[in-house]
Amino acid sequence: MLNVDNVTARYGEAQVLQGVSLGVDTGEVVTLVGRNGAGKTTLLRCLMGLHRAMTGDIEFDGRSVATLPPHKRCRIGLGYVPDDRGIFASLSVEENLTLPPVTGPEAWSLEQVYETFPVLAERRRQAGTHLSGGEQQMLAIARVLRMGARILLADEPTEGLAPLLVQQIGEIIRTVKAHGVTVLLIEQNVHFASTVADRHYLIAQGRVVESLDNAEVEQREHELLEYLGI
Amino acid sequence: MSGLLQQLFNGLVSGSFYALLALGLSVIFGMLGVVNFAHGAFYMLGAFGAFVLLDSAGLNWWLALLVVPILLGVIGMVLERAFVHRLMHLFPLYNFLLTFGIALILQDLIRLKYGVTSQPYPRPTILDGMVDLGVFTYPKYQVFVLVLSIVLSVLVWLVLTRTRVGMIVRASTERAELTQSLGIDVRRWVTPVFGFGIALAGLAGVLAAPMRAVNSEMGADLIIVIFAVVVIGGLGSVVGSVAAGYIVGMLTEFGNFYIPALSQILVFVLMALVLLLRPAGLFGREEGSPA
């Protein structure tokens, strides 16, 4: 479904992505694991068109999207959750949900969103940023579901959340997958990654250095944790 | 007591102009990140537009009130497309210089044709005369200006808070890139918002024609105060600019009446105080804070 071929990108002088190639199949949940500064966020921003890829190609559904502006990538089914969750303070919870256009036939209705995430229904009139961190993350993912995006690109949804909330995010990601939405997420927590995802890419210094399945992650958890410096 | 109330009313009428101008400036700043230095010049063009339409085509004030803002709004959109847009990815100072240059050009073109003397503009006949407000009588025209500016401010607020367009403008103002990545073509909304802000300035100018001196300097005199108003209200905050507009209007009128020697600097004293106590302005959102 998503094919990244030899993408390079730079921030000023520094080359952050040194030629990343990876693929995500329809219905899969795939994580990008790697240290801070390995280029994971930049890669996600490149996929969304928020950061310019210098070379290489990005294909979505067999079609190159590398030259499309962000709003058009969104409209063909890419749903983005940035690392700060991207909740608008000047919009209510409900407005945060309904701001993006519906982009796919599988789009959730507001009722469906509220049924699945009752806390959002309770707080629908409040400013988006009045929610707790975990609730904001929930809102950001719910927004992608309401759009009917076909792939969820989430930049470290569990960052800074308490263990109980991390589990909750795990539940939400399983819900997302159960509804047929493909997921590509950045994750530092390898244990958590192995409980929600099918496959993992280990990113280091702007490259994919390894592709791992869950069994390998479990076997090598200590080694990976040490490598990630956690 | 009635004297005090009358000052209050004078303040609200002056505030009406500040509010309309600050509103446009604020919406433009929020959406484009551009401080439009030409805002005062478009206010002046609004007044001159009304004057020229009456003088050369015999078009009355009511028609001018409709035609001039639309015309200036279109001119504003063309300017945005042709110039402002091209500089937007550069350091903000470039657009600051550009709009400052536009202001000087417009002002000098008018001066070239009409000099610096004020042009006469009659009040519309229906709004001539006084209206009895119980405690005192007040010019009908001024009451009309006040009511219209309040109605317009409320309308703009309703559009911003209750409609989809308003939601998009709020989102783009807060975080343009994020809005873009959520499927909204922010660039498409930038030009009409700029045009709308200019149209509001033009409308304020038409409103000013029958009660203020219509001359090439009228915008330049006002724009500095308007910047102070926007800063007091909070950059980019719509409610803030309108509220600050009326507050500053009252402050200057009361100042004029009780301490005329200080009236010119009172607004800047207020601005300094606000910046000291609430750097983001009365209604502004602190950068990085949640609410």
Side-chain angles (χ1 to χ4, degrees):
Chain A
M1 164 176 252
L2 181 72
N3 256 308
V4 180
D5 183 27
N6 206 17
V7 163
T8 63
R10 39 176 70 245
Y11 260 114
E13 293 291 296
Q15 182 149 5
V16 200
L17 298 181
Q18 313 262 8
V20 173
S21 299
L22 56 83
V24 182
D25 286 331
T26 308
E28 269 192 317
V29 177
V30 174
T31 67
L32 301 173
V33 187
R35 281 184 188 174
N36 284 332
K40 307 180 301 289
T41 293
T42 307
L43 176 60
L44 228 54
R45 286 175 58 80
C46 282
L47 296 183
M48 209 54 222
L50 297 170
H51 192 95
R52 204 160 70 92
M54 302 290 293
T55 59
D57 197 17
I58 299 159
E59 273 184 8
F60 181 65
D61 250 0
R63 168 191 175 193
S64 172
V65 298
T67 56
L68 289 183
H71 67 277
K72 289 203 174 139
R73 298 197 200 193
C74 171
R75 288 189 178 180
I76 59 170
L78 279 79
Y80 177 57
V81 177
D83 53 356
D84 64 356
R85 304 170 187 122
I87 301 303
F88 294 97
S90 50
L91 269 58
S92 70
V93 167
E94 186 153 307
E95 287 175 323
N96 265 286
L97 283 169
T98 54
L99 175 71
V102 167
T103 61
E106 302 296 321
W108 288 30
S109 64
L110 266 185
E111 292 71 42
Q112 211 174 343
V113 169
Y114 288 150
E115 220 170 275
T116 314
F117 310 110
V119 67
L120 298 184
E122 276 164 40
R123 301 179 159 231
R124 62 207 283 175
R125 306 254 168 266
Q126 293 183 20
T129 43
H130 283 180
L131 300 180
S132 71
E135 288 162 351
Q136 286 188 34
Q137 193 64 55
M138 188 187 285
L139 175 58
I141 297 176
R143 176 166 66 190
V144 170
L145 291 170
R146 211 217 53 106
M147 283 157 49
R150 293 169 45 224
I151 185 165
L152 165 66
L153 306 173
D155 194 341
E156 233 186 324
T158 61
E159 191 190 11
L161 296 184
L164 206 66
L165 290 170
V166 171
Q167 277 180 33
Q168 206 182 348
I169 297 296
E171 278 310 308
I172 293 173
I173 287 167
R174 276 185 280 272
T175 310
V176 171
K177 180 185 161 108
H179 279 81
V181 178
T182 309
V183 182
L184 178 62
L185 72 139
I186 292 178
E187 195 47 74
Q188 298 263 40
N189 181 340
V190 283
H191 177 72
F192 172 76
S194 70
T195 63
V196 296
D198 305 305
R199 285 193 300 124
H200 314 271
Y201 286 108
L202 187 60
I203 311 262
Q205 283 147 13
R207 277 199 187 85
V208 172
V209 289
E210 266 188 281
S211 168
L212 307 160
D213 61 23
N214 278 333
E216 285 171 296
V217 167
E218 273 162 45
Q219 254 172 38
R220 294 168 52 190
E221 195 176 328
H222 288 291
E223 176 203 336
L224 287 171
L225 282 179
E226 208 163 294
Y227 172 76
L228 292 170
I230 302 167
Chain B
M1 184 62 196
S2 89
L4 197 75
L5 269 176
Q6 194 144 0
Q7 286 312 312
L8 181 89
F9 243 74
N10 290 345
L12 288 174
V13 173
S14 303
S16 301
F17 292 98
Y18 295 149
L20 287 176
L21 286 162
L23 182 58
L25 202 63
S26 192
V27 178
I28 289 175
F29 176 79
M31 190 85 179
L32 288 83
V34 171
V35 177
N36 178 27
F37 222 95
H39 218 67
F42 280 99
Y43 162 79
M44 179 269 293
L45 280 189
F48 263 92
F51 169 73
V52 170
L53 284 182
L54 182 71
D55 197 46
S56 63
L59 241 57
N60 71 28
W61 183 80
W62 297 96
L63 282 168
L65 193 61
L66 188 72
V67 173
V68 171
I70 294 176
L71 213 68
L72 289 178
V74 171
I75 292 175
M77 292 209 281
V78 171
L79 280 178
E80 201 282 330
R81 275 278 110 192
F83 302 111
V84 179
H85 214 84
R86 289 171 202 272
L87 299 181
M88 254 170 43
H89 63 281
L90 296 174
F91 193 65
L93 215 53
Y94 285 91
N95 255 322
F96 192 83
L97 283 173
L98 171 78
T99 55
F100 188 56
I102 291 175
L104 291 180
I105 292 170
L106 293 174
Q107 212 171 301
D108 279 6
L109 282 177
I110 294 293
R111 193 182 310 173
L112 205 63
K113 180 106 168 66
Y114 298 97
V116 286
T117 48
S118 298
Q119 307 296 325
Y121 196 95
R123 275 185 199 167
T125 19
I126 314 172
L127 297 176
D128 220 357
M130 306 294 274
V131 58
D132 191 356
L133 294 175
V135 199
F136 55 88
T137 58
Y138 207 72
K140 259 190 209 168
Y141 183 80
Q142 263 83 336
V143 174
F144 178 81
V145 167
L146 177 58
V147 171
L148 187 68
S149 93
I150 291 174
V151 168
L152 278 172
S153 302
V154 170
L155 274 180
V156 171
W157 183 77
L158 283 175
V159 167
L160 277 172
T161 53
R162 300 289 148 86
T163 67
R164 179 151 183 91
V165 173
M167 183 162 99
I168 290 172
V169 171
R170 268 180 293 146
S172 318
T173 298
E174 190 183 329
R175 290 179 65 179
E177 184 184 76
L178 176 66
T179 309
Q180 189 93 7
S181 72
L182 291 172
I184 287 151
D185 189 1
V186 172
R187 290 167 309 174
R188 226 186 68 201
W189 294 94
V190 161
T191 311
V193 165
F194 191 84
F196 174 75
I198 298 293
L200 271 184
L203 186 123
V206 179
L207 282 177
M211 60 178 279
R212 297 264 169 92
V214 180
N215 61 50
S216 56
E217 312 299 311
M218 64 190 286
D221 296 344
L222 209 58
I223 189 71
I224 303 298
V225 177
I226 299 301
F227 280 143
V229 168
V230 173
V231 170
I232 290 167
L235 270 178
S237 161
V238 166
V239 176
S241 355
V242 173
Y246 291 109
I247 291 171
V248 167
M250 286 188 282
L251 186 72
T252 27
E253 289 301 330
F254 279 115
N256 261 332
F257 194 70
Y258 292 107
I259 22 174
L262 286 182
S263 71
Q264 294 297 309
I265 65 157
L266 274 178
V267 52
F268 299 105
V269 172
L270 177 66
M271 181 176 87
L273 277 176
V274 168
L275 283 177
L276 274 174
L277 301 173
R278 276 186 68 90
L282 292 178
F283 292 80
R285 194 176 285 130
E286 302 273 344
E287 208 134 303
S289 89

